[in-house]
Every structure is written in C-alpha cells, then in structure tokens.
Amino acid sequence: MAWGLSELIAKHDVPGAQVAVLADGEIRDEAAGVLSLRTRVEATTDSVFKIGSITKIWTATLVQQLVNDDLLDLDRPLHAYLPGFRLSDPAATETLTARHLLTHTGGVDSNHLVDTGRNDDAIEKFVAALADAAHLFPPGRVFSYSNSGYAVLGRLVEVLRGRTFHDVLRDRLATPLGLSTLASDTYEAILHRTAVGHVETEGRLAPTKSWAVRYFSTPSGSHLAISARDLLEFVRLHLADHTLAGLREPQLESVPDFGGGVLGWGLGWMLYRDGVVGHTGVSKGQKAFLRVVPSAGVAMAVLTNSAGAEPLAHELFSTVLRDLAGVETAPLPVPPAKSVPLDVDRMCGTYRTTSDDITLTVDNDRAFLTYRPRKETAASRHGKPARRVEVVRLDDHAIITAEPKFDGHQVWSLIGSDARGRARFLHNGAAAYRVD
C-alpha cells in the first residue's frame, strides 16, 4: 500500500514525513523527503520524528497502569500521593485530582515556564515550582489545555513507581512492546536517524535552532520521538488491552471549537466525529497526527518535520480513513464566504493568560486580535512587544483568522457569559479569561 507521499510533501511544502497505517492486524508504512533541509539526510521508515503532545496518551497509559495496579484512585486528591504538593490556590491543592489533569480541567497554568534543568529531578523541581504559579480556575470548572498538568502526572508516575519518568516509560511500555525506535530524550534521539523541525522564517522554511523545550515537560510532549510504525505498535496495545479501553471513554462530551475537529475528551485521548479518537502534537517545528477508529481496528499516524503540515495530514486522513474505516474527516476550518460583523458587545474586550493580554477590537469594520506580553520574558518569547492578527466571525461563538498563515487558519471560541452578557473566555484550546 502506498499513499504517494513524495508527491504530497512536494504539494504541501513539507521537508519530510512518515505515514503508517494499521488495518487487518498489519502495519504498512512509508517515508519520503529529508530529515533536515540543512543536512539533506533522507527520511526512512526507521527514522524518528517527535510526536509532541501525542506523548500525553503515553503518560495517560502509565497513569492507568497505576490504577490497574491499585496504586492510584483517579478521583482522590493528588496531595494524598505527592508529599508536599502545593499550588498557589489552597482550595485547588485540596481538591485537584488525576482525572482533572487527564482531562485538562485542573485549572493549572497551561505553560508555566521555568527551567529546572536536565537532571533526574527536573520534573520534581517543576512540580514544586507550581506553588508560585497562578492557578487560573477551580478544578473541574473549565476545560483549558495544560501542558503543566501533564508534567504533574509525570511526577505522580515517578513517585508511585519509585523511578524516573524516563525509566518507567521504557520499562512499562517501550521494552515490553519492542519499540526499537523510541527515544525519550536527546541522548537517545542522537542514536537514530532523527528528524529536525522546520518553521517559517522570512517567508521560507528553515530548520529550528533547538531540539526541545525544557526537560520537565517530557510527560506532556517535549522530547518523545519515534517512528510512525512503532507509534502504531503502541496503538495496537490500546486496541488489544481491555484495561486501557476506558481511557477512550468520553469524560467531556463537548469542548470549545479550536479548529482541530475535536468534539470531546477522554483520559488523554481527543475525541472526534464517528467514534474516531487520537491526538495531535506540535514540538519545535514538527507536527504529528494520530487517528484511531477502534470499532474498525484501523489506525493511522502521520509524522512530519514541519509546523505547517496539517493540510498534508488532513488529505491523507480524508482518503485513508474513509476507504478503510468508512469515516469522514471534518474539513479544515476556513472563513465564511460572506463576512458577518462581530457581536461587538459580547465578543470584544481584553482576555488574559499568564503570559499575554489578548484584546479583540473592531477598527474600521475590521476585527483584530492584539497580543501584548505581560512580562519581559513573554516579550522575548514572541520576538516583539506585541503582534496583531486580523480575524473574522466564524459563527455565533467563534472567530477565525482572516488569512491563512504558515499553519493554516486559527480558530478561537468565545464561551460563557458574564453578568453583562459578554463572553467570559477566549478559547483556543487553553482558556483566556476576560479582564475588561
């Protein structure tokens, strides 16, 4: 089985990619392109690509194994398992559970940026540092995607297994499954043919200048790299092991639209239409996609070394999943053919994250999102003091970028209502709360 991957990466301007499909119990895979535009090393089926937040399913699996071994109750407060665990909100410290973190409803800061080193205690130190981070929402109240929350789950795994997250991942999953390409840190990745991420720089693709963000975020998706074939061997475990099936059961029946076709959430898994589950991962110029149709025993992984690879993955999913499993893939979001004015009274205003103030305004009948970093560290991260993006109304509850950028059109939902009927949150996966 071939998918014309060489033609597709040329069509979508992606340097290199892997595709693997599990169907009828067999895995077939293909690779094309190069691992880096700088080195021009050929991408092969045994190369490794970073899978970003698809790692969260691996972390959720390790957590479920703790449940299976009677070491963890998902609904018991975490402080019962983590000695000295503390958040800035005492009430959240008392009530936060593993289920909250698995479903991104814990209210933990999405990306608490603190460097805790590369040693074995990096995750432990990071979790301790959350005591100084703003806690945005009471646990169980608001869905807000949180990488930091999964770092806490990684620490939970370490404490209850008495070993580092890296070692537990290898001992409980990689070794039993015979995953020869899995690399859980840079020291392992360098032993493989390893893809380098690419981002748009001055109108052209260029390799990134760094491999991963800080090591503490390993459980949420900063380091794990693997081949598409081995990723589907991991998925095969989920389709065969009934003790893991509960991870795919809906925990949240609906989530705000942020443009990825995600309708709900399980424990680690994103839930799509027609019973499809999966996850998408982004990490330093690489983008990875996983979709699984459990009822048909079909799964597909698309791994790429470009942050702008979503159209390529969408084209593959739309064809292969329809042909093999009879399911349709939701279309990529685009602005409506006819522009409709924003509901200014409800939508416009300033919304806050821990790093940015995001203002939605209308200027001469054109709407804009303006990002203003709240700290110097945020300013340096964005590369400039503020940035402005034109948006249009997508529907009664969402806006979308007017023009596609390198990674396509971006969607934000406006959800909830305050006492004046104004949206309470501006939501693109993580929730920003209204301050004005």
PDB file of all heavy atoms in Angstrom, residues 227-260:
ATOM      1  N   SER A 227       9.294   6.268  15.440  1.00  0.00           N
ATOM      2  CA  SER A 227       8.836   6.072  14.060  1.00  0.00           C
ATOM      3  C   SER A 227       7.323   5.906  14.046  1.00  0.00           C
ATOM      4  O   SER A 227       6.699   5.521  15.045  1.00  0.00           O
ATOM      5  CB  SER A 227       9.499   4.830  13.455  1.00  0.00           C
ATOM      6  OG  SER A 227       9.005   3.650  14.082  1.00  0.00           O
ATOM      7  N   ALA A 228       6.713   6.158  12.908  1.00  0.00           N
ATOM      8  CA  ALA A 228       5.264   6.002  12.776  1.00  0.00           C
ATOM      9  C   ALA A 228       4.853   4.551  13.005  1.00  0.00           C
ATOM     10  O   ALA A 228       3.811   4.269  13.605  1.00  0.00           O
ATOM     11  CB  ALA A 228       4.820   6.480  11.393  1.00  0.00           C
ATOM     12  N   ARG A 229       5.654   3.607  12.534  1.00  0.00           N
ATOM     13  CA  ARG A 229       5.334   2.192  12.727  1.00  0.00           C
ATOM     14  C   ARG A 229       5.303   1.840  14.213  1.00  0.00           C
ATOM     15  O   ARG A 229       4.360   1.196  14.695  1.00  0.00           O
ATOM     16  CB  ARG A 229       6.347   1.303  11.996  1.00  0.00           C
ATOM     17  CG  ARG A 229       6.217  -0.191  12.312  1.00  0.00           C
ATOM     18  CD  ARG A 229       7.175  -1.019  11.502  1.00  0.00           C
ATOM     19  NE  ARG A 229       6.721  -1.132  10.113  1.00  0.00           N
ATOM     20  CZ  ARG A 229       5.887  -2.083   9.682  1.00  0.00           C
ATOM     21  NH1 ARG A 229       5.410  -2.985  10.525  1.00  0.00           N
ATOM     22  NH2 ARG A 229       5.547  -2.117   8.412  1.00  0.00           N
ATOM     23  N   ASP A 230       6.317   2.249  14.965  1.00  0.00           N
ATOM     24  CA  ASP A 230       6.337   1.932  16.389  1.00  0.00           C
ATOM     25  C   ASP A 230       5.235   2.654  17.146  1.00  0.00           C
ATOM     26  O   ASP A 230       4.715   2.142  18.154  1.00  0.00           O
ATOM     27  CB  ASP A 230       7.706   2.254  16.984  1.00  0.00           C
ATOM     28  CG  ASP A 230       8.695   1.106  16.842  1.00  0.00           C
ATOM     29  OD1 ASP A 230       8.302   0.040  16.314  1.00  0.00           O
ATOM     30  OD2 ASP A 230       9.867   1.265  17.249  1.00  0.00           O
ATOM     31  N   LEU A 231       4.862   3.859  16.702  1.00  0.00           N
ATOM     32  CA  LEU A 231       3.733   4.544  17.327  1.00  0.00           C
ATOM     33  C   LEU A 231       2.467   3.709  17.196  1.00  0.00           C
ATOM     34  O   LEU A 231       1.664   3.608  18.135  1.00  0.00           O
ATOM     35  CB  LEU A 231       3.543   5.927  16.701  1.00  0.00           C
ATOM     36  CG  LEU A 231       2.359   6.753  17.214  1.00  0.00           C
ATOM     37  CD1 LEU A 231       2.428   6.945  18.730  1.00  0.00           C
ATOM     38  CD2 LEU A 231       2.298   8.107  16.517  1.00  0.00           C
ATOM     39  N   LEU A 232       2.289   3.062  16.057  1.00  0.00           N
ATOM     40  CA  LEU A 232       1.096   2.227  15.881  1.00  0.00           C
ATOM     41  C   LEU A 232       1.199   0.905  16.622  1.00  0.00           C
ATOM     42  O   LEU A 232       0.178   0.292  16.942  1.00  0.00           O
ATOM     43  CB  LEU A 232       0.827   1.997  14.395  1.00  0.00           C
ATOM     44  CG  LEU A 232       0.382   3.237  13.618  1.00  0.00           C
ATOM     45  CD1 LEU A 232      -0.159   2.846  12.250  1.00  0.00           C
ATOM     46  CD2 LEU A 232      -0.657   4.055  14.379  1.00  0.00           C
ATOM     47  N   GLU A 233       2.406   0.449  16.926  1.00  0.00           N
ATOM     48  CA  GLU A 233       2.535  -0.714  17.813  1.00  0.00           C
ATOM     49  C   GLU A 233       2.009  -0.355  19.210  1.00  0.00           C
ATOM     50  O   GLU A 233       1.385  -1.182  19.886  1.00  0.00           O
ATOM     51  CB  GLU A 233       3.981  -1.184  17.889  1.00  0.00           C
ATOM     52  CG  GLU A 233       4.518  -1.818  16.612  1.00  0.00           C
ATOM     53  CD  GLU A 233       3.860  -3.162  16.284  1.00  0.00           C
ATOM     54  OE1 GLU A 233       3.041  -3.672  17.088  1.00  0.00           O
ATOM     55  OE2 GLU A 233       4.168  -3.697  15.201  1.00  0.00           O
ATOM     56  N   PHE A 234       2.262   0.862  19.643  1.00  0.00           N
ATOM     57  CA  PHE A 234       1.695   1.348  20.899  1.00  0.00           C
ATOM     58  C   PHE A 234       0.167   1.395  20.808  1.00  0.00           C
ATOM     59  O   PHE A 234      -0.543   0.996  21.742  1.00  0.00           O
ATOM     60  CB  PHE A 234       2.271   2.723  21.212  1.00  0.00           C
ATOM     61  CG  PHE A 234       1.579   3.477  22.310  1.00  0.00           C
ATOM     62  CD1 PHE A 234       1.754   3.107  23.636  1.00  0.00           C
ATOM     63  CD2 PHE A 234       0.758   4.560  22.024  1.00  0.00           C
ATOM     64  CE1 PHE A 234       1.121   3.804  24.658  1.00  0.00           C
ATOM     65  CE2 PHE A 234       0.132   5.257  23.026  1.00  0.00           C
ATOM     66  CZ  PHE A 234       0.306   4.879  24.363  1.00  0.00           C
ATOM     67  N   VAL A 235      -0.361   1.869  19.683  1.00  0.00           N
ATOM     68  CA  VAL A 235      -1.810   1.904  19.498  1.00  0.00           C
ATOM     69  C   VAL A 235      -2.384   0.490  19.496  1.00  0.00           C
ATOM     70  O   VAL A 235      -3.471   0.240  20.044  1.00  0.00           O
ATOM     71  CB  VAL A 235      -2.161   2.640  18.191  1.00  0.00           C
ATOM     72  CG1 VAL A 235      -3.646   2.489  17.865  1.00  0.00           C
ATOM     73  CG2 VAL A 235      -1.789   4.112  18.298  1.00  0.00           C
ATOM     74  N   ARG A 236      -1.673  -0.449  18.908  1.00  0.00           N
ATOM     75  CA  ARG A 236      -2.142  -1.829  18.898  1.00  0.00           C
ATOM     76  C   ARG A 236      -2.385  -2.335  20.330  1.00  0.00           C
ATOM     77  O   ARG A 236      -3.341  -3.069  20.600  1.00  0.00           O
ATOM     78  CB  ARG A 236      -1.129  -2.721  18.184  1.00  0.00           C
ATOM     79  CG  ARG A 236      -1.676  -4.100  17.834  1.00  0.00           C
ATOM     80  CD  ARG A 236      -0.542  -5.082  17.572  1.00  0.00           C
ATOM     81  NE  ARG A 236       0.294  -4.733  16.442  1.00  0.00           N
ATOM     82  CZ  ARG A 236       0.063  -5.109  15.177  1.00  0.00           C
ATOM     83  NH1 ARG A 236      -1.014  -5.811  14.888  1.00  0.00           N
ATOM     84  NH2 ARG A 236       0.921  -4.778  14.218  1.00  0.00           N
ATOM     85  N   LEU A 237      -1.493  -1.944  21.255  1.00  0.00           N
ATOM     86  CA  LEU A 237      -1.693  -2.296  22.657  1.00  0.00           C
ATOM     87  C   LEU A 237      -3.036  -1.786  23.156  1.00  0.00           C
ATOM     88  O   LEU A 237      -3.785  -2.508  23.841  1.00  0.00           O
ATOM     89  CB  LEU A 237      -0.556  -1.712  23.501  1.00  0.00           C
ATOM     90  CG  LEU A 237      -0.754  -1.737  25.031  1.00  0.00           C
ATOM     91  CD1 LEU A 237      -0.701  -3.169  25.545  1.00  0.00           C
ATOM     92  CD2 LEU A 237       0.286  -0.870  25.728  1.00  0.00           C
ATOM     93  N   HIS A 238      -3.363  -0.558  22.822  1.00  0.00           N
ATOM     94  CA  HIS A 238      -4.626   0.028  23.281  1.00  0.00           C
ATOM     95  C   HIS A 238      -5.837  -0.679  22.689  1.00  0.00           C
ATOM     96  O   HIS A 238      -6.875  -0.791  23.352  1.00  0.00           O
ATOM     97  CB  HIS A 238      -4.660   1.520  22.947  1.00  0.00           C
ATOM     98  CG  HIS A 238      -3.976   2.364  23.964  1.00  0.00           C
ATOM     99  ND1 HIS A 238      -4.634   3.026  24.955  1.00  0.00           N
ATOM    100  CD2 HIS A 238      -2.654   2.619  24.166  1.00  0.00           C
ATOM    101  CE1 HIS A 238      -3.776   3.677  25.722  1.00  0.00           C
ATOM    102  NE2 HIS A 238      -2.561   3.445  25.256  1.00  0.00           N
ATOM    103  N   LEU A 239      -5.727  -1.156  21.490  1.00  0.00           N
ATOM    104  CA  LEU A 239      -6.855  -1.850  20.864  1.00  0.00           C
ATOM    105  C   LEU A 239      -7.014  -3.271  21.407  1.00  0.00           C
ATOM    106  O   LEU A 239      -8.120  -3.828  21.369  1.00  0.00           O
ATOM    107  CB  LEU A 239      -6.658  -1.894  19.349  1.00  0.00           C
ATOM    108  CG  LEU A 239      -6.657  -0.536  18.646  1.00  0.00           C
ATOM    109  CD1 LEU A 239      -6.428  -0.708  17.144  1.00  0.00           C
ATOM    110  CD2 LEU A 239      -7.969   0.207  18.897  1.00  0.00           C
ATOM    111  N   ALA A 240      -5.930  -3.841  21.938  1.00  0.00           N
ATOM    112  CA  ALA A 240      -5.972  -5.225  22.418  1.00  0.00           C
ATOM    113  C   ALA A 240      -6.216  -5.339  23.915  1.00  0.00           C
ATOM    114  O   ALA A 240      -6.760  -6.347  24.382  1.00  0.00           O
ATOM    115  CB  ALA A 240      -4.663  -5.935  22.056  1.00  0.00           C
ATOM    116  N   ASP A 241      -5.800  -4.344  24.696  1.00  0.00           N
ATOM    117  CA  ASP A 241      -5.844  -4.426  26.156  1.00  0.00           C
ATOM    118  C   ASP A 241      -7.121  -3.765  26.671  1.00  0.00           C
ATOM    119  O   ASP A 241      -7.251  -2.537  26.645  1.00  0.00           O
ATOM    120  CB  ASP A 241      -4.607  -3.736  26.742  1.00  0.00           C
ATOM    121  CG  ASP A 241      -4.471  -3.928  28.239  1.00  0.00           C
ATOM    122  OD1 ASP A 241      -5.471  -4.267  28.893  1.00  0.00           O
ATOM    123  OD2 ASP A 241      -3.359  -3.706  28.758  1.00  0.00           O
ATOM    124  N   HIS A 242      -8.059  -4.570  27.163  1.00  0.00           N
ATOM    125  CA  HIS A 242      -9.350  -4.030  27.596  1.00  0.00           C
ATOM    126  C   HIS A 242      -9.208  -3.111  28.804  1.00  0.00           C
ATOM    127  O   HIS A 242     -10.067  -2.254  29.046  1.00  0.00           O
ATOM    128  CB  HIS A 242     -10.329  -5.164  27.923  1.00  0.00           C
ATOM    129  CG  HIS A 242     -10.003  -5.896  29.193  1.00  0.00           C
ATOM    130  ND1 HIS A 242      -9.051  -6.903  29.257  1.00  0.00           N
ATOM    131  CD2 HIS A 242     -10.482  -5.749  30.463  1.00  0.00           C
ATOM    132  CE1 HIS A 242      -8.974  -7.351  30.490  1.00  0.00           C
ATOM    133  NE2 HIS A 242      -9.816  -6.682  31.239  1.00  0.00           N
ATOM    134  N   THR A 243      -8.109  -3.249  29.587  1.00  0.00           N
ATOM    135  CA  THR A 243      -7.930  -2.384  30.748  1.00  0.00           C
ATOM    136  C   THR A 243      -7.611  -0.949  30.349  1.00  0.00           C
ATOM    137  O   THR A 243      -7.671  -0.039  31.186  1.00  0.00           O
ATOM    138  CB  THR A 243      -6.812  -2.902  31.673  1.00  0.00           C
ATOM    139  OG1 THR A 243      -5.540  -2.754  31.027  1.00  0.00           O
ATOM    140  CG2 THR A 243      -7.036  -4.368  32.029  1.00  0.00           C
ATOM    141  N   LEU A 244      -7.254  -0.737  29.083  1.00  0.00           N
ATOM    142  CA  LEU A 244      -6.952   0.614  28.604  1.00  0.00           C
ATOM    143  C   LEU A 244      -8.113   1.237  27.841  1.00  0.00           C
ATOM    144  O   LEU A 244      -8.063   2.414  27.491  1.00  0.00           O
ATOM    145  CB  LEU A 244      -5.707   0.587  27.710  1.00  0.00           C
ATOM    146  CG  LEU A 244      -4.421   0.072  28.358  1.00  0.00           C
ATOM    147  CD1 LEU A 244      -3.289   0.033  27.331  1.00  0.00           C
ATOM    148  CD2 LEU A 244      -4.024   0.925  29.559  1.00  0.00           C
ATOM    149  N   ALA A 245      -9.157   0.449  27.586  1.00  0.00           N
ATOM    150  CA  ALA A 245     -10.271   0.953  26.772  1.00  0.00           C
ATOM    151  C   ALA A 245     -10.977   2.123  27.446  1.00  0.00           C
ATOM    152  O   ALA A 245     -11.503   3.022  26.767  1.00  0.00           O
ATOM    153  CB  ALA A 245     -11.265  -0.176  26.502  1.00  0.00           C
ATOM    154  N   GLY A 246     -10.980   2.148  28.773  1.00  0.00           N
ATOM    155  CA  GLY A 246     -11.659   3.225  29.475  1.00  0.00           C
ATOM    156  C   GLY A 246     -11.047   4.593  29.231  1.00  0.00           C
ATOM    157  O   GLY A 246     -11.719   5.615  29.406  1.00  0.00           O
ATOM    158  N   LEU A 247      -9.786   4.624  28.811  1.00  0.00           N
ATOM    159  CA  LEU A 247      -9.160   5.903  28.510  1.00  0.00           C
ATOM    160  C   LEU A 247      -9.843   6.604  27.350  1.00  0.00           C
ATOM    161  O   LEU A 247      -9.772   7.832  27.230  1.00  0.00           O
ATOM    162  CB  LEU A 247      -7.675   5.711  28.199  1.00  0.00           C
ATOM    163  CG  LEU A 247      -6.784   5.183  29.330  1.00  0.00           C
ATOM    164  CD1 LEU A 247      -5.366   4.951  28.818  1.00  0.00           C
ATOM    165  CD2 LEU A 247      -6.771   6.155  30.503  1.00  0.00           C
ATOM    166  N   ARG A 248     -10.487   5.823  26.480  1.00  0.00           N
ATOM    167  CA  ARG A 248     -11.149   6.407  25.296  1.00  0.00           C
ATOM    168  C   ARG A 248     -12.598   6.793  25.568  1.00  0.00           C
ATOM    169  O   ARG A 248     -13.249   7.380  24.699  1.00  0.00           O
ATOM    170  CB  ARG A 248     -11.094   5.409  24.133  1.00  0.00           C
ATOM    171  CG  ARG A 248      -9.703   4.955  23.764  1.00  0.00           C
ATOM    172  CD  ARG A 248      -9.698   4.195  22.445  1.00  0.00           C
ATOM    173  NE  ARG A 248     -10.485   2.980  22.475  1.00  0.00           N
ATOM    174  CZ  ARG A 248     -10.022   1.775  22.797  1.00  0.00           C
ATOM    175  NH1 ARG A 248      -8.749   1.643  23.156  1.00  0.00           N
ATOM    176  NH2 ARG A 248     -10.801   0.707  22.768  1.00  0.00           N
ATOM    177  N   GLU A 249     -13.110   6.455  26.746  1.00  0.00           N
ATOM    178  CA  GLU A 249     -14.496   6.798  27.066  1.00  0.00           C
ATOM    179  C   GLU A 249     -14.628   8.298  27.307  1.00  0.00           C
ATOM    180  O   GLU A 249     -13.753   8.923  27.918  1.00  0.00           O
ATOM    181  CB  GLU A 249     -14.955   6.036  28.308  1.00  0.00           C
ATOM    182  CG  GLU A 249     -15.067   4.538  28.097  1.00  0.00           C
ATOM    183  CD  GLU A 249     -16.092   4.188  27.032  1.00  0.00           C
ATOM    184  OE1 GLU A 249     -17.180   4.809  27.028  1.00  0.00           O
ATOM    185  OE2 GLU A 249     -15.801   3.304  26.197  1.00  0.00           O
ATOM    186  N   PRO A 250     -15.720   8.898  26.815  1.00  0.00           N
ATOM    187  CA  PRO A 250     -15.870  10.353  26.970  1.00  0.00           C
ATOM    188  C   PRO A 250     -15.910  10.782  28.434  1.00  0.00           C
ATOM    189  O   PRO A 250     -16.669  10.238  29.232  1.00  0.00           O
ATOM    190  CB  PRO A 250     -17.206  10.641  26.283  1.00  0.00           C
ATOM    191  CG  PRO A 250     -17.428   9.480  25.362  1.00  0.00           C
ATOM    192  CD  PRO A 250     -16.816   8.296  26.045  1.00  0.00           C
ATOM    193  N   GLN A 251     -15.074  11.739  28.759  1.00  0.00           N
ATOM    194  CA  GLN A 251     -15.107  12.405  30.054  1.00  0.00           C
ATOM    195  C   GLN A 251     -15.740  13.781  29.916  1.00  0.00           C
ATOM    196  O   GLN A 251     -16.432  14.241  30.818  1.00  0.00           O
ATOM    197  CB  GLN A 251     -13.688  12.542  30.605  1.00  0.00           C
ATOM    198  CG  GLN A 251     -12.946  11.229  30.767  1.00  0.00           C
ATOM    199  CD  GLN A 251     -13.524  10.352  31.849  1.00  0.00           C
ATOM    200  OE1 GLN A 251     -13.728  10.807  32.981  1.00  0.00           O
ATOM    201  NE2 GLN A 251     -13.815   9.105  31.529  1.00  0.00           N
ATOM    202  N   LEU A 252     -15.485  14.421  28.781  1.00  0.00           N
ATOM    203  CA  LEU A 252     -16.115  15.691  28.420  1.00  0.00           C
ATOM    204  C   LEU A 252     -16.840  15.469  27.108  1.00  0.00           C
ATOM    205  O   LEU A 252     -16.224  15.125  26.100  1.00  0.00           O
ATOM    206  CB  LEU A 252     -15.069  16.793  28.271  1.00  0.00           C
ATOM    207  CG  LEU A 252     -14.143  17.038  29.466  1.00  0.00           C
ATOM    208  CD1 LEU A 252     -13.098  18.087  29.116  1.00  0.00           C
ATOM    209  CD2 LEU A 252     -14.933  17.456  30.692  1.00  0.00           C
ATOM    210  N   GLU A 253     -18.146  15.642  27.099  1.00  0.00           N
ATOM    211  CA  GLU A 253     -18.926  15.378  25.891  1.00  0.00           C
ATOM    212  C   GLU A 253     -18.710  16.437  24.822  1.00  0.00           C
ATOM    213  O   GLU A 253     -18.918  16.183  23.632  1.00  0.00           O
ATOM    214  CB  GLU A 253     -20.414  15.286  26.232  1.00  0.00           C
ATOM    215  CG  GLU A 253     -20.775  14.138  27.166  1.00  0.00           C
ATOM    216  CD  GLU A 253     -20.683  12.777  26.485  1.00  0.00           C
ATOM    217  OE1 GLU A 253     -20.562  12.746  25.237  1.00  0.00           O
ATOM    218  OE2 GLU A 253     -20.731  11.760  27.193  1.00  0.00           O
ATOM    219  N   SER A 254     -18.314  17.629  25.228  1.00  0.00           N
ATOM    220  CA  SER A 254     -18.049  18.694  24.258  1.00  0.00           C
ATOM    221  C   SER A 254     -16.968  19.607  24.813  1.00  0.00           C
ATOM    222  O   SER A 254     -16.826  19.759  26.028  1.00  0.00           O
ATOM    223  CB  SER A 254     -19.320  19.503  23.958  1.00  0.00           C
ATOM    224  OG  SER A 254     -19.757  20.176  25.126  1.00  0.00           O
ATOM    225  N   VAL A 255     -16.197  20.189  23.901  1.00  0.00           N
ATOM    226  CA  VAL A 255     -15.184  21.179  24.253  1.00  0.00           C
ATOM    227  C   VAL A 255     -15.315  22.325  23.258  1.00  0.00           C
ATOM    228  O   VAL A 255     -15.856  22.160  22.162  1.00  0.00           O
ATOM    229  CB  VAL A 255     -13.754  20.587  24.199  1.00  0.00           C
ATOM    230  CG1 VAL A 255     -13.578  19.507  25.263  1.00  0.00           C
ATOM    231  CG2 VAL A 255     -13.425  20.048  22.819  1.00  0.00           C
ATOM    232  N   PRO A 256     -14.829  23.515  23.607  1.00  0.00           N
ATOM    233  CA  PRO A 256     -14.899  24.641  22.670  1.00  0.00           C
ATOM    234  C   PRO A 256     -14.167  24.327  21.365  1.00  0.00           C
ATOM    235  O   PRO A 256     -13.156  23.630  21.349  1.00  0.00           O
ATOM    236  CB  PRO A 256     -14.211  25.776  23.434  1.00  0.00           C
ATOM    237  CG  PRO A 256     -14.361  25.403  24.871  1.00  0.00           C
ATOM    238  CD  PRO A 256     -14.266  23.913  24.907  1.00  0.00           C
ATOM    239  N   ASP A 257     -14.694  24.858  20.279  1.00  0.00           N
ATOM    240  CA  ASP A 257     -14.072  24.668  18.962  1.00  0.00           C
ATOM    241  C   ASP A 257     -12.770  25.461  18.900  1.00  0.00           C
ATOM    242  O   ASP A 257     -12.755  26.670  19.077  1.00  0.00           O
ATOM    243  CB  ASP A 257     -15.037  25.157  17.879  1.00  0.00           C
ATOM    244  CG  ASP A 257     -14.476  24.996  16.468  1.00  0.00           C
ATOM    245  OD1 ASP A 257     -13.456  24.297  16.302  1.00  0.00           O
ATOM    246  OD2 ASP A 257     -15.073  25.578  15.534  1.00  0.00           O
ATOM    247  N   PHE A 258     -11.655  24.753  18.677  1.00  0.00           N
ATOM    248  CA  PHE A 258     -10.399  25.460  18.435  1.00  0.00           C
ATOM    249  C   PHE A 258      -9.766  24.995  17.128  1.00  0.00           C
ATOM    250  O   PHE A 258      -8.561  25.061  16.941  1.00  0.00           O
ATOM    251  CB  PHE A 258      -9.426  25.346  19.621  1.00  0.00           C
ATOM    252  CG  PHE A 258      -9.192  23.962  20.153  1.00  0.00           C
ATOM    253  CD1 PHE A 258      -8.146  23.183  19.686  1.00  0.00           C
ATOM    254  CD2 PHE A 258     -10.014  23.444  21.134  1.00  0.00           C
ATOM    255  CE1 PHE A 258      -7.918  21.919  20.190  1.00  0.00           C
ATOM    256  CE2 PHE A 258      -9.794  22.168  21.645  1.00  0.00           C
ATOM    257  CZ  PHE A 258      -8.739  21.409  21.169  1.00  0.00           C
ATOM    258  N   GLY A 259     -10.615  24.520  16.199  1.00  0.00           N
ATOM    259  CA  GLY A 259     -10.187  24.337  14.825  1.00  0.00           C
ATOM    260  C   GLY A 259      -9.626  22.991  14.457  1.00  0.00           C
ATOM    261  O   GLY A 259      -9.308  22.756  13.297  1.00  0.00           O
ATOM    262  N   GLY A 260      -9.508  22.052  15.390  1.00  0.00           N
ATOM    263  CA  GLY A 260      -8.897  20.769  15.082  1.00  0.00           C
ATOM    264  C   GLY A 260      -9.872  19.635  14.877  1.00  0.00           C
ATOM    265  O   GLY A 260      -9.455  18.487  14.719  1.00  0.00           O
TER     266      GLY A 260
END
